[in-house]
Amino acid sequence: MAHPSMLRKLVARYEELSAPGADADPRVKRQREDTAYTLCVSTGTRDIRDALRVAEQTLAAAGEPVPVSTTSVSL
């Protein structure tokens, strides 16, 4: 499991790359896919929704600030 501060950065990055219209740029789409993969590996999950849920739980348990809502992220 990744350190909570690293998870926080990954979740924030995923949310940034999931902004509306971001898929219009193939480079941004690829970066989002890479970040999703890294989140899944870091949380021991196979689905980005599960990875975000586990990351949020891990951050909350560690007392780390949770980035904006992980439930509103475009999947």
Side-chain angles (χ1 to χ4, degrees), residues 33-60:
E33 290 169 354
D34 290 346
T35 303
Y37 174 81
T38 303
L39 267 166
C40 287
V41 169
S42 298
T43 58
T45 61
R46 293 182 169 197
D47 181 84
I48 187 58
R49 289 175 287 263
D50 293 337
L52 291 169
R53 181 183 43 77
V54 170
E56 186 175 353
Q57 291 170 349
T58 302
L59 292 172

